[in-house]
Amino acid sequence: MPVINRAAEATQLISGMDIHPVAVIIARVTYLLALAPVLNQRSGSLSIPVYLGDALQLSISRMLTDKELTIRVPPPAAGDGQSGEPNGSGGEKLDFPEVFCRDPALFDKAIERMRSGSEQNMTRPQVEQALARITEQHYAAIPTAGAFRQEGLTEEQKRGIEDLGKTYLVFDRLRREGRDTVWAYVARNLSRPLFLSASGGWANVIVGNPPWVAFRHMSADLQVRFRDLSKSERVFVGGKLSTQNDLCALFTVRAASLYLRSGGKLAFVLPLAALTRGQFEKFRSGIFESVRLRFDETWTMDDRVQPLFPVPSCVIFATKRRVGQQMTEKIVRRAYSGSLPYRDAPEDIADARLTVDEMPGDLTEATFTGGSVYRKQFRQGATLVPRFLCFVERRNLGALGADPNAPYVVSRRSTQEKPPWKSLPGLEGRVEKEFLRPVLLGESILPYRVWRPFEGVIPVTAKGEMLSSDTALNRGYQGIAEWMREAEATWKANASESNSLSLKQRWDYHGELSSQFPVAPMRIVYAASGQIPLPAYLRT
């Protein structure tokens, strides 16, 4: 087995990635040592900015069409006699609109003007006027073609200045109370990830060692945010493995989604469990809500490399693509082995002590240990949201009752609905009976039996063809066509801008709905949530 030359391999790796001169590699400083032969041949200067930013953007919230960075200021110590918020909670918020965050130079000018304005006892209107002038001068100084030069402030910039005016009041009060110590610094750092992701991905290459933190070791606040975000990205694994979900999987997905351009390369150091354990199963699929990854190669550093990390590790290489591709046995792998004199050994010592075994690609051990042989026969059910566009209740009309071939139904409403759907009117109308089907939710399933099925408008034919309003009308189904027409219009008018799917595509995401047709005569179902999922048997 040959001794590896990490510097030479790094040179080969980078040269094959077609890096643009302005591309930035996000990495720990230690990784730069392996790139020294490449960097020494550069023609220009090198600048490596380091920010203590929120790479996952957990501090970013969306307000209608705008995003904003929110910094939550801890309350003052008890007995300090400081004002805090008017409600007495003592927890202020500093909000910074995206229109400033996505331009670092403008953001720094605005923060500095707020700081100096507070020291000069400026009022909010005075600060807003100063921010307006700074913004106009900033964009006027940018060299552009005369026909496209910005004239005055845009509506987005005016809203941003007004929001910063509100933030200035809190910022000013914190300074007067002696609590303005790091917030300008924190704001600059936290705004950088929003700037880096503003263009929808700009980096050719992302290299890093993301945090390895299991769900059970996270703080309560982080657990809530992690669970919501990882479920929305389709990387969360429930059941008995829910406490073993790791932050590094979500971090990898979000890094590729937010910062990597299409066709860009990603190389991350992860625990070896990412290749072999059930809590990383969805991560290995390469298909997520916001991004698709093709896994190209893996390197392993298991117990045969000592000392290194507290647990066995690996390196995964992936490419951002339009179509994802899961980890398979076709991935070329390298297995490292050897004994190091100490951790963080320099490159020359590592090259002399470590060897690499070129392997043809064998991920046979990357299975769900202890899993059932029937495991691949199961799949996730359809996500029918918003529910009021699908779930219905029947209504009787008159003494003769409803038409049995086309019952009259209305949207079933729930107190669990979220904005904007909770404030919208429901749907009602006649729907052909073949499109009214029982639907099982998690709450419908008890151990070994079905308790309470719901009824839903399911626009799928008996053969599994998903219908839109147009295709339904073309086939002569007037009732389901009218229902879908109203449902599609409601979805299009109120879905978030980031969701480009049609209602038909959303309900049949990855074939989760159409794959259930033709309906099998016997099925086993279980709820996805819960510590001990127990099945129920269905017979058609």
Side-chain angles (χ1 to χ4, degrees), residues 393 406-411 427-431 436 479 482-483 486:
E393 297 175 336
Y408 194 88
V409 295
V410 300
S411 295
L427 278 60
E428 57 182 277
R430 298 184 185 275
V431 176
L436 296 175
E482 287 295 319
W483 183 277
E486 293 187 35

Side-chain angles (χ1 to χ4, degrees), residues 33-330:
L33 298 177
L35 304 179
V38 180
L39 300 179
N40 286 336
Q41 300 174 15
R42 68 185 184 276
S43 57
S45 61
L46 177 66
S47 174
I48 305 175
V50 178
Y51 302 116
L52 301 176
D54 175 13
L56 284 176
Q57 296 194 13
L58 297 178
S59 302
I60 305 302
S61 58
R62 180 178 289 275
M63 302 294 292
L64 298 178
T65 60
D66 300 328
K67 292 180 181 179
E68 65 179 10
L69 164 67
T70 298
I71 300 176
R72 302 185 184 277
V73 180
D80 283 354
Q82 295 157 329
S83 63
E85 287 186 331
N87 60 12
S89 65
E92 289 87 355
K93 295 192 306 179
L94 297 171
D95 296 324
F96 301 91
E98 181 187 19
V99 66
F100 283 89
C101 292
R102 64 177 177 232
D103 189 327
L106 177 61
F107 187 87
D108 290 348
K109 293 175 184 177
I111 290 292
E112 177 58 26
R113 194 66 187 97
M114 291 169 64
R115 185 195 63 77
S116 61
S118 176
E119 293 177 350
Q120 297 168 5
N121 297 319
M122 292 176 64
T123 64
R124 173 182 170 180
Q126 290 173 331
V127 168
E128 290 185 2
Q129 286 295 326
L131 292 174
R133 181 171 177 77
I134 287 174
T135 304
E136 290 178 341
Q137 292 177 338
H138 175 77
Y139 286 105
I142 298 177
T144 57
F148 299 97
R149 186 178 297 277
Q150 178 177 319
E151 297 293 340
L153 297 174
T154 66
E155 290 301 319
E156 183 187 22
Q157 290 165 351
K158 292 178 181 177
R159 292 195 304 269
I161 291 171
E162 183 179 356
D163 291 341
L164 272 187
K166 298 176 183 177
T167 299
Y168 170 74
L169 296 178
V170 181
F171 188 90
D172 180 57
R173 187 175 70 249
L174 291 175
R175 187 193 68 81
R176 296 177 187 278
E177 293 178 348
R179 298 169 59 200
D180 173 28
T181 55
V182 296
W183 306 121
Y185 171 78
V186 169
R188 286 189 176 98
N189 277 273
L190 292 183
S191 69
R192 286 337 190 231
L194 191 58
F195 151 67
L196 296 177
S197 63
S199 59
W202 56 271
N204 292 77
V205 181
I206 300 179
V207 181
N209 182 3
W212 305 359
V213 184
F215 181 85
R216 61 185 181 276
H217 298 311
M218 299 178 189
S219 65
D221 178 62
L222 180 57
Q223 284 182 342
V224 173
R225 291 189 287 175
F226 170 81
R227 185 191 292 110
D228 292 342
L229 189 54
S230 58
K231 282 185 175 181
S232 67
E233 285 287 4
R234 296 178 177 270
V235 74
F236 188 84
V237 177
K240 66 181 181 181
L241 295 175
S242 59
T243 62
Q244 300 180 41
N245 281 273
D246 202 291
L247 181 61
C248 65
L250 176 63
F251 192 100
T252 304
V253 172
R254 293 286 288 175
S257 172
L258 294 171
Y259 311 112
L260 193 62
R261 66 173 54 183
S262 179
K265 304 288 185 178
L266 178 145
F268 269 14
V269 180
L270 300 177
L272 188 63
L275 307 181
T276 62
R277 294 296 180 258
Q279 64 267 31
F280 287 93
E281 178 191 16
K282 293 186 178 181
F283 172 74
R284 293 195 294 271
S285 72
I287 300 174
F288 314 103
E289 183 70 21
S290 63
V291 71
R292 303 289 187 271
L293 293 177
R294 182 194 68 194
F295 290 103
D296 302 316
E297 185 174 344
T298 62
W299 298 353
T300 61
M301 288 152 281
D302 55 20
D303 292 333
R304 292 176 296 174
V305 179
Q306 293 292 339
L308 192 57
F309 297 112
V311 298
S313 60
C314 69
V315 180
I316 62 104
F317 298 88
T319 304
K320 185 175 181 178
R321 301 291 296 271
R322 167 170 278 182
V323 178
Q325 183 174 331
Q326 66 180 1
M327 289 186 187
T328 68
E329 65 279 358
K330 297 180 181 180

